[in-house]
Amino acid sequence: MFVKSCWRLILFAALAAAAGPVCAQGTEAGRFLSVVGDVRIGREGAPQRVAQRAAEFYEGESIVTAVGALAQLRMTDGALMSVRGDTEIKLERFSYAGEQDRNASFLMSVLKGGLRTITGVIGRQNRERYRITTATVTIGVRGTDFEIVHVPPQAASLEVPAGTYDRVFEGVTSIQNRAGVMLLVSRDQTAFAALQGTTPPVLVAPPAALFGRTTPLPRVTPQTLRKDDGRADKPQAVAPATRPTVMLTPIDAPGTLERSAISPTIQTAPTTTLTPIQTAPLAPVVTGADKVMLTPVVDPANPTTTTTLTQVVTSTTLAPTTVLPLTPTLLLKAPKPPK
């Protein structure tokens, strides 16, 4: 009896030890769609692990990227996220049980560097429970595509002062400093909040050193969607707008350039080539558009032979109109017969 109880205790302890790390991971928040360069996943009190494509990302974990690296994720609420190089972020809180979950929440802190994201269900339906924080500000959203970059003092310069930059591509964000001063940032605007908490956030031109190169967003295809659970909603990535295809047709007479079915057809005017007139005695001379004929005319009353130069013009239309000079009439007199 005692031996059986010991075996049960040992088995229970072994199962608890094996399940301990799994339980410590918390709620799965998303998965990596792609990883470029050195990207690590860490948790306080645990060794970091290397991020890989399709690897899970959990609540309470941090993502650390090296210089030149890039990590793209899809969260379980359908949000898309691209983490820049030389960045450290931490997912402080993530809770999502489906579209009907009114208590879903998202809280992320950016320690340095930046990320671009298109919000998912939480950002659209639970805006008041969606927050991104830095050492300077707290950012809220209203269903949007935006990018946030936090520049710590050691990475600041004259062109890029230390603080938090918030650039909005679509939608609206709110940026609030530690003094409680809030600024709404709309589409194609960039806001900056200095490290000094009493300085109000202001709109600025996006620094080229930070935003000169656009951070790419993940392109989600049907093959990347997870079908093993019902938590992942439709991704919010929008396919690029299709543009009309330019089609060149062989050039005939006249040639055409077709762009689309609704575009006007451009036609070139027909080209007319004029060749110089070559004369021949008493023989017709033909050019591309005119016919010139020499016709002998004899008057019975007057034995004088008169040669008339007659020009017959066809109905060819020239564009632009070309006027050809007419050759004057030549009169040839026959010698008088001897008396």
Side-chain angles (χ1 to χ4, degrees), residues 31-103:
R31 295 196 178 192
F32 286 87
L33 295 175
S34 65
V35 176
V36 178
D38 186 9
V39 179
R40 307 274 175 164
I41 307 172
R43 178 185 293 273
E44 293 183 5
Q48 292 182 341
R49 66 183 190 275
V50 178
Q52 298 178 350
R53 185 177 181 274
E56 297 89 353
F57 178 54
Y58 293 90
E59 176 189 21
E61 290 186 328
S62 301
I63 297 178
V64 181
T65 61
V67 176
L70 176 69
Q72 297 182 328
L73 300 91
R74 177 174 179 269
M75 311 303 286
T76 57
D77 74 328
L80 298 175
M81 185 183 304
S82 290
V83 184
R84 288 177 164 224
D86 195 20
T87 294
E88 182 177 358
I89 61 175
K90 182 180 180 181
L91 187 58
E92 304 283 356
R93 183 175 69 248
F94 184 88
S95 173
Y96 179 72
E99 292 188 6
Q100 306 303 321
D101 185 6
R102 299 305 175 187
N103 295 320

Side-chain angles (χ1 to χ4, degrees), residues 226-297:
R226 296 181 56 198
K227 299 181 180 180
D228 57 342
D229 58 41
R231 294 177 297 166
D233 302 288
K234 292 81 178 174
Q236 302 304 311
V238 179
T242 57
R243 298 180 179 178
T245 303
V246 177
M247 297 177 294
L248 295 178
T249 59
I251 299 178
D252 297 324
T256 59
L257 175 63
E258 298 180 359
R259 183 173 182 84
S260 66
I262 61 175
S263 300
T265 301
I266 303 174
Q267 299 183 349
T268 59
T271 303
T272 302
T273 304
L274 299 178
T275 59
I277 299 176
Q278 299 178 355
T279 60
L282 300 179
V285 179
V286 181
T287 65
D290 303 332
K291 294 181 180 179
V292 179
M293 184 176 297
L294 297 175
T295 306
V297 179

Side-chain angles (χ1 to χ4, degrees), residues 192-227:
F192 169 70
L195 286 179
Q196 295 79 6
T198 57
T199 303
V202 293
L203 295 178
V204 297
L210 295 180
F211 302 105
R213 186 176 181 180
T214 304
T215 303
L217 277 173
R219 294 187 178 274
V220 178
T221 60
Q223 289 77 10
T224 62
L225 300 182
R226 296 181 56 198
K227 299 181 180 180

